[in-house]
Amino acid sequence: MKPSFYNRPVLEVAPELIGCVVTHGETSGAIVEAEAYHESEPASHGFIGLRPRTEVLFGPPGRAYVYRSYGVHALLNAVCEPDGVGAGVLIRALQPLTGVGLMRRRRGLQRERDLCSGPGKLTQALGIELDDNGVDLLRGPIVISSRPPAWRDIEVVADRRIGITRAVELPWRFTAAGSRFVSRPFRLIAV
DNA sequence: CATGGGATTGACT
DNA sequence: GTCAATCCCATGC
């Protein structure tokens, strides 16, 4: 992935991230579900403005914004748009590719479909923690790379975002059409 | 300093 | 379907 990839409107980046591969150590998976968030809408953490918590989200594009959700889970975002703009893509589900045995051990589960089918599940499976907040997604230790050949021409569909209470009507959730590795089924709105 | 609210998950009815 | 776990941090006094 080139640095300029993330320095664009988050609504352009999010659907293009579907099919790209997230790697951390020996574990990796293809992104099958992601959501866009932008400071201009109230569901985004950036909506409150620049705070200690949102410092990375407002920083330069191409970094990982990792935060604790419900006091329990670490959630992974890819920071987008120019330095100073609070925007990012929440990675919500992966199709496991490598290190599946390690994922099973970390998750304490066997079914491949249950390993990364949710934003808190995939960070646990890949061993991503809160102190990964701010790491460079081009240099690592968390890396996002372009679509493998088999994923080059996949169909991407849009739907409403999940688990939020504000701006629920925006169709800013993107999934790989027909994937069985998403966190929840989709309804089909656009491409 | 006290309070309240989550971009969730898994266990249980 | 319901519900608790658990912790950062924003907000308000």
Side-chain angles (χ1 to χ4, degrees):
Chain A
M1 215 61 74
K2 287 184 286 192
S4 56
F5 177 83
Y6 299 99
N7 194 9
R8 293 183 294 148
V10 68
L11 278 179
E12 284 183 27
V13 178
E16 292 184 27
L17 276 176
I18 303 299
C20 295
V21 175
V22 181
T23 302
H24 186 230
E26 67 180 75
T27 54
S28 69
I31 301 172
V32 294
E33 175 177 348
E35 289 177 351
Y37 287 89
H38 188 272
E39 61 173 78
S40 61
E41 45 89 16
S44 170
H45 287 177
F47 188 68
I48 61 170
L50 182 55
R51 297 286 187 287
R53 180 189 193 185
T54 57
E55 186 184 336
V56 171
L57 189 63
F58 278 85
R63 306 244 259 243
Y65 167 52
V66 183
Y67 71 96
R68 189 169 296 292
S69 170
Y70 290 92
V72 182
H73 307 101
L75 268 53
L76 171 67
N77 296 254
V79 176
C80 297
E81 311 213 8
D83 195 355
V85 179
V89 178
L90 170 68
I91 310 302
R92 285 194 55 93
L94 306 176
Q95 175 174 329
L97 293 178
T98 67
V100 178
L102 181 52
M103 291 186 188
R104 288 198 168 101
R105 211 176 322 145
R106 285 172 172 155
R107 295 274 298 127
L109 294 168
Q110 290 305 309
R111 281 182 71 211
E112 201 162 316
R113 277 173 56 183
D114 296 329
L115 296 178
C116 299
S117 56
K121 297 177 184 179
L122 70 91
T123 54
Q124 185 186 21
L126 269 61
I128 293 170
E129 313 277 359
L130 267 202
D131 56 13
D132 289 311
N133 189 34
V135 304
D136 189 334
L137 291 173
L138 287 82
R139 298 164 141 267
I142 305 168
V143 174
I144 300 183
S145 43
S146 348
R147 290 178 179 175
W151 293 75
R152 182 74 57 193
D153 296 313
I154 57 169
E155 185 187 3
V156 176
V157 295
D159 199 351
R160 282 141 70 124
R161 296 177 293 183
I162 289 174
I164 54 174
T165 57
R166 311 166 73 179
V168 293
E169 71 287 351
L170 298 176
W172 287 9
R173 172 184 180 235
F174 302 93
T175 60
S179 174
R180 289 189 295 272
F181 293 88
V182 299
S183 67
R184 303 255 268 287
F186 42 82
R187 247 174 320 168
L188 274 174
I189 294 187
V191 175

